[in-house]
Amino acid sequence: MPTLASYLTDPRPAVRLRAVMAAGTTPSVDELDLLVAQCAVEPDLQVREMLTWALVRLPADLVVPRLLDELDRPEAQARSQALHTLSKIRDGSVYPQVARLLGDVDPGVTRTAWRAAVLLAPEDAKPALARTLAVQLGHGDEETRLALSRALAGLGADVVSPVLDAAAEHRSAAVREHAAETARLLEDPDAGSALALARARREVALGRTRSAKG
């Protein structure tokens, strides 16, 4: 009889998705290690989201320690997926461990750590978190800049406004511009979607240009 382990080795994402969905529908702590291990290697985004859902349905006191172990794994996807799942469990006690990855060597892990830290930070830690994140203003590609703006905006105006006001006076034009983008997102959350849409349109236009050039 096929097992969860055998299904997870199937090359078809739909098969793996159904297997993880079944595991989450009837949660079993016996499958915890298998689900966590799959997070590090699963290539399909939808299956990874289902893995997070299945893990959240297991007892948090068992899942959280396993996920914290994953934060020290060398594989970037293992760290990123663990951060994402921890953000869904919302156990604020893990914030110090999450904060260690705010400057991870992998940009994708860093962006995930920003989002997780904003969700998990206790109120008294949020001003320091805002200052830490604000150091990154003006750096990175457009995706990274938007992710940072969203993270800062998620901390709320009362927390973020002081660091944005300071950044608005920075000697670097890139920092001032990024601070202004973040302030706009803070006032209008839909602006983030508009910025993402504008980026997508530019990428499509560039793709068409490259195709036209052969």
Side-chain angles (χ1 to χ4, degrees):
M1 181 177 180
T3 63
L4 176 60
S6 63
Y7 282 128
L8 291 179
T9 62
D10 193 289
R12 295 166 294 180
V15 172
R16 301 196 302 276
L17 182 67
R18 287 195 297 271
V20 177
M21 185 182 300
T25 301
T26 55
S28 169
V29 295
D30 293 337
E31 295 173 335
L32 170 58
D33 287 342
L34 188 57
L35 293 171
V36 171
Q38 187 68 17
C39 287
V41 298
E42 174 55 52
D44 186 85
L45 176 60
Q46 191 174 7
V47 179
R48 292 202 300 272
E49 285 296 325
M50 191 61 67
L51 284 164
T52 288
W53 172 78
L55 287 168
V56 168
R57 290 176 57 79
L58 291 169
D61 61 331
L62 298 178
V63 176
V64 169
R66 282 292 289 109
L67 294 176
L68 292 178
D69 289 342
E70 294 295 290
L71 298 183
D72 293 320
R73 289 272 297 273
E75 302 90 346
Q77 183 172 301
R79 301 195 302 277
S80 182
Q81 194 66 22
L83 286 166
H84 177 62
T85 306
L86 286 168
S87 75
K88 298 297 184 181
I89 296 174
R90 298 290 184 98
D91 180 353
S93 69
V94 305
Y95 172 72
Q97 291 95 319
V98 168
R100 289 192 296 107
L101 276 70
L102 291 174
D104 193 90
V105 295
D106 184 270
V109 175
T110 297
R111 291 191 294 268
T112 306
W114 292 343
R115 294 192 297 269
V118 167
L119 292 170
L120 297 172
E123 289 300 321
D124 60 357
K126 288 183 177 181
L129 175 58
R131 292 191 294 272
T132 298
L133 295 179
V135 172
Q136 302 299 323
L137 285 168
H139 298 285
D141 57 19
E142 193 166 2
E143 181 181 6
T144 298
R145 287 166 63 105
L146 181 56
L148 181 62
S149 292
R150 285 172 169 161
L152 284 165
L155 290 171
D158 291 344
V159 173
V160 176
S161 292
V163 298
L164 292 182
D165 290 344
E169 304 297 326
H170 199 278
R171 64 180 180 275
S172 167
V175 173
R176 296 195 303 271
E177 179 184 351
H178 197 178
E181 292 172 358
T182 306
R184 185 164 70 252
L185 184 61
L186 195 62
E187 295 174 0
D188 178 15
D190 291 336
S193 298
L195 288 170
L197 180 60
R199 181 188 66 208
R201 285 173 174 164
R202 284 196 295 274
E203 290 174 352
V204 169
L206 286 170
R208 287 174 180 166
T209 300
R210 294 189 187 103
S211 297
K213 291 179 179 179

